Amino acid sequence: MTLVARAQTPPLALTASIRSEIQAIDRDQPVFDVKSMAQVRDRMVMPFRVLGAIISGFGVFALILAATGIYGVMAYAVSQRTREIGVRMALGAKRGDILKLLVVEQGMWMTAIGVIIGLAGAIGLTQVLKGMLFGVNAIELTTFAGVTLLLAVVSLLACYIPARRAAKVDPMVALRYE
C-alpha cells in the first residue's frame, strides 16, 4: 500500500505525525520507505540522466574524432601540394597568395560543402529521432551552430598550419619534394 500526503511544510517533517496516525488506525500496519515526491522523481529519472551523460560523452568523443579526421585530411591535402607551392613560389607567388589560395579558396570550399551535407543529414536524422525526445527541441540551433563553427575553425586551422609551413619552405626544396 502507498500513502501520499500533500503538505505546506517540508514533507519529511511530517513523517512522525503520519506514522502515529497510521498506528492509531492499525497497529499492525508498518510504515517504511518514507520519501518525498522529489526523491521518488529523482530515483525514476536517474537511469535516463545516466544514459544522457553517457550519450553526451560519446557525442564529445565523436566531435573530437571528427575534428581530428578533418585536420588529418586537410593537412594531407595541403602536403600533397608542396610541389605546386614550390612552383608557384619559384614563379613569384607571395606567401600571402599561397595561403589565400590553399586556405580560403580550396580548403574552406571543401569545408562549406561538408558543412552543408552534414547539416542536411543532421536535420534529417533529428526528424527521425524526434519521437524519442521529451521536453527538448529536435533541432537545437545553438548546438548545430556551435558544432558547425567548431569544425569550421578546425578545418581553417587544418588548412592554415600546413599551408604556412609549406609556404616557408625554400622553393628549390619544395620542387625536389618527393
Side-chain angles (χ1 to χ4, degrees), residues 34-173:
V34 178
K35 54 187 165 259
S36 69
M37 286 304 279
Q39 291 170 326
V40 171
R41 183 197 63 223
D42 288 345
R43 184 180 292 170
M44 291 181 75
V45 299
M46 179 59 74
F48 299 107
R49 286 186 180 164
V50 170
L51 185 61
I54 290 170
I55 289 173
S56 295
F58 281 130
V60 169
F61 185 64
L63 186 62
I64 291 169
L65 283 177
T68 305
I70 288 171
Y71 183 84
V73 168
M74 298 303 278
Y76 179 75
V78 171
S79 72
Q80 291 296 308
R81 300 181 68 193
T82 302
R83 193 172 176 88
E84 175 192 346
I85 293 169
V87 169
R88 288 178 184 266
M89 290 184 67
L91 293 175
K94 296 181 178 123
R95 287 189 177 147
D97 295 335
I98 298 290
L99 291 175
K100 180 183 172 194
L101 172 75
L102 290 176
V103 174
V104 177
E105 291 181 7
Q106 306 240 329
M108 295 318 291
W109 273 109
M110 290 188 334
T111 300
I113 291 168
V115 162
I116 291 168
I117 292 170
L119 283 175
I123 289 170
L125 285 175
T126 55
Q127 297 307 313
V128 172
L129 297 174
K130 185 189 266 185
M132 297 181 196
L133 301 175
F134 177 74
V136 180
N137 286 338
I139 299 175
E140 277 292 322
L141 294 179
T142 54
T143 302
F144 276 65
V147 170
T148 301
L149 183 64
L150 175 70
L151 292 177
V153 167
V154 166
S155 181
L156 179 66
L157 288 173
C159 291
Y160 178 75
I161 293 170
R164 190 186 73 188
R165 191 175 3 172
K168 287 183 179 179
V169 172
D170 182 38
M172 292 308 294
V173 172

Side-chain angles (χ1 to χ4, degrees), residues 25-39:
I25 296 170
D26 184 1
R27 287 201 79 60
D28 294 332
Q29 192 69 1
V31 178
F32 62 94
D33 200 22
V34 178
K35 54 187 165 259
S36 69
M37 286 304 279
Q39 291 170 326

Side-chain angles (χ1 to χ4, degrees), residues 3 15-32:
L3 173 70
T15 303
S17 58
I18 291 173
R19 186 176 308 225
S20 66
E21 288 297 321
I22 291 173
Q23 295 296 319
I25 296 170
D26 184 1
R27 287 201 79 60
D28 294 332
Q29 192 69 1
V31 178
F32 62 94

